[in-house]
Amino acid sequence: MISSSTAQLHGGSRPNHFKVALQSQTSTAASTALASQRKPNAPGSPLARKPLPGSAPRASEEPSEDELALTLVEQPRAPKQFHLGMFEIGRPLGKGKFGRVYLARERTSGFICALKVLHKNELQHGGVERQVRREIEIQSNLRHPNILQMFGHFHDSKRVFLILEFAGKGELYKHLRRENRFPEWKAAQYIAQMASALRYLHRKHVIHRDIKPENILVGIHGELKVSDFGWSVHAPNNRRKTMCGTLDYLPPEMINPGSSENYYNEKVDLWSLGVLTYEFLVGEAPFEDTPVMTQRRIRRADMSIPSFVSPEASDLIKKLLVLNPEKRIALEQVQVHPWILKHCVKGERAANREKYSQ
């Protein structure tokens, strides 16, 4: 699986955390198809030719040499293709299973970005070409202040390159481990940003399916950036059956693959948001145990919230970690929950998030 590494600082992953996938990953066609669509910059537009002031249009005359020259100048230029020579490569930001992420600068503009480099032979051997294609397709079409932006992609004979937004403060998981747990004001602001990002994704019929601290980055201003869309899916019919994600964050409807009841929809992300809220405030996931016991506890929503967590925060966690997906609190209600409103001051960033939630 592509553990991201879009996430730029993927150093240590937590013990007992592992990806679960029961979907058969058949190796798809040649790896050159992985990123065969190079993302162009906007091509230049042809200039509209205007007659000189006071002159009449000449329908039947041959064009003059000057006009011929002008016609040649006005032709649209070929779209600019990305290639590795366009970038100065800086320090490595992180290492994933199938490649590395580097700090990079576009030579002409000086634009700073992150360059994710994936090796085609490793993608083929891992059977994850399909995931990479899906990650590119989904992430390149997303525009939200709390979602890591993909600016483009290109490839050579051996590698695939993803041009990503640089999140200057790295991986949220490392911040959480350093602080052990977040103060309520910070956790509430983070959850408000996550709710806004998920609401945007769900309106575009995208289910993330792997929300956890390791897949969230922190921007230079301290804002969250959802990343790692390797497990995401565009599901217009909103019903899926694949078991994936990280065990501690799996919702009960994804625990029993193969049964007739394990169809799920975008509400799996609501459950993960509840687990995330708990982990922000407590410092560990609510169902953390041995793999077998974790699954049992998830099926029963068996958790206890420590007394140091405020009643408002406990209320939100309980409304998200509901066994019946249809009874989980909606994202728009999360955004106006008393705990969120108590700690999220109206301001420029809040207004910006609301703009994407209309």
Side-chain angles (χ1 to χ4, degrees):
M1 130 113 232
I2 311 232
S3 156
S4 229
S5 71
T6 30
Q8 289 135 1
L9 295 167
H10 259 225
S13 58
R14 64 183 88 192
N16 296 327
H17 262 231
F18 54 90
K19 302 284 184 182
V20 184
L22 298 184
Q23 181 183 33
S24 62
Q25 297 284 341
T26 55
S27 284
T28 48
S31 58
T32 51
L34 271 173
S36 57
Q37 283 189 327
R38 302 186 180 192
K39 182 157 182 171
N41 289 342
S45 301
L47 301 171
R49 280 208 286 164
K50 296 179 181 178
L52 294 172
S55 65
R58 299 177 299 169
S60 57
E61 293 181 39
E62 291 292 321
S64 67
E65 288 185 10
D66 287 344
E67 285 178 313
L68 284 171
L70 183 59
T71 302
L72 292 174
V73 170
E74 289 168 357
Q75 295 304 310
R77 288 173 292 176
K80 185 178 180 182
Q81 303 289 346
F82 292 118
H83 57 85
L84 191 56
M86 295 170 62
F87 299 92
E88 295 175 26
I89 308 300
R91 62 184 174 91
L93 296 170
K95 183 178 180 181
K97 186 175 180 181
F98 299 102
R100 290 178 178 267
V101 181
Y102 298 90
L103 187 64
R105 179 168 58 194
E106 203 275 321
R107 294 180 188 276
T108 306
S109 64
F111 182 76
I112 300 295
C113 60
L115 201 62
K116 182 176 178 179
V117 184
L118 303 168
H119 296 276
K120 290 181 177 180
N121 61 343
E122 294 178 1
L123 299 177
Q124 282 183 313
H125 292 152
V128 293
E129 302 111 312
R130 181 180 173 187
Q131 273 177 249
V132 174
R133 278 195 294 272
R134 184 166 59 198
E135 182 176 3
I136 292 171
E137 183 180 352
I138 290 175
Q139 198 169 353
S140 60
N141 286 297
L142 301 176
R143 298 289 183 274
H144 187 280
N146 300 120
I147 295 175
L148 195 75
Q149 187 169 345
M150 181 181 290
F151 300 110
H153 63 278
F154 58 97
H155 68 104
D156 60 20
S157 61
K158 294 183 178 179
R159 297 164 296 184
V160 178
F161 301 89
L162 309 184
I163 308 167
L164 300 163
E165 177 182 2
F166 172 57
K169 293 190 176 178
E171 189 184 298
L172 180 64
Y173 177 68
K174 293 193 172 180
H175 290 262
L176 182 56
R177 291 284 71 81
R178 192 158 47 241
E179 296 186 42
N180 187 33
R181 62 178 189 257
F182 294 138
E184 295 222 354
W185 65 267
K186 182 183 285 188
Q189 292 184 16
Y190 281 168
I191 294 302
Q193 293 175 47
M194 290 298 300
S196 176
L198 287 174
R199 196 173 170 193
Y200 170 84
L201 289 175
H202 293 175
R203 282 203 318 277
K204 287 186 164 288
H205 305 291
V206 173
I207 311 171
H208 190 280
R209 303 197 297 177
D210 200 15
I211 294 295
K212 59 178 181 176
E214 291 91 331
N215 290 342
I216 302 168
L217 302 176
V218 184
I220 195 67
H221 302 294
E223 74 281 18
L224 297 192
K225 302 280 185 181
V226 179
S227 71
D228 197 341
F229 286 81
W231 277 125
S232 296
V233 65
H234 184 259
N237 62 2
N238 288 337
R239 291 178 70 80
R240 301 286 302 177
K241 223 179 167 180
T242 308
M243 183 177 177
C244 61
T246 302
L247 185 56
D248 283 336
Y249 277 73
L250 281 181
E253 61 266 35
M254 288 175 70
I255 288 291
N256 298 313
S259 73
S260 59
E261 287 133 14
N262 79 313
Y263 284 98
Y264 60 84
N265 57 19
E266 78 285 348
K267 291 181 173 58
V268 297
D269 288 339
L270 294 174
W271 178 276
S272 298
L273 187 64
V275 177
L276 194 69
T277 307
Y278 186 104
E279 186 165 5
F280 281 175
L281 294 169
V282 180
E284 60 184 27
F287 309 107
E288 205 167 290
D289 210 314
T290 64
V292 171
M293 284 305 300
T294 294
Q295 292 192 49
R296 287 179 184 171
R297 293 181 63 188
I298 289 171
R299 288 192 191 100
R300 301 193 301 261
D302 174 19
M303 62 157 185
S304 58
I305 302 175
S307 58
F308 58 77
V309 176
S310 70
E312 297 100 330
S314 297
D315 179 72
L316 179 58
I317 291 169
K318 289 173 183 175
K319 286 178 176 174
L320 285 164
L321 296 180
V322 177
L323 290 175
N324 184 342
E326 301 308 316
K327 292 186 178 178
R328 290 171 198 155
I329 184 172
L331 287 169
E332 52 267 32
Q333 292 176 288
V334 172
Q335 291 177 299
V336 294
H337 186 275
W339 182 64
I340 298 293
L341 296 179
K342 178 180 179 181
H343 295 289
C344 295
V345 180
K346 290 283 183 183
E348 184 179 343
R349 275 192 215 156
N352 196 28
R353 285 197 304 273
E354 285 168 6
K355 178 178 71 176
Y356 287 86
S357 301
Q358 299 302 320

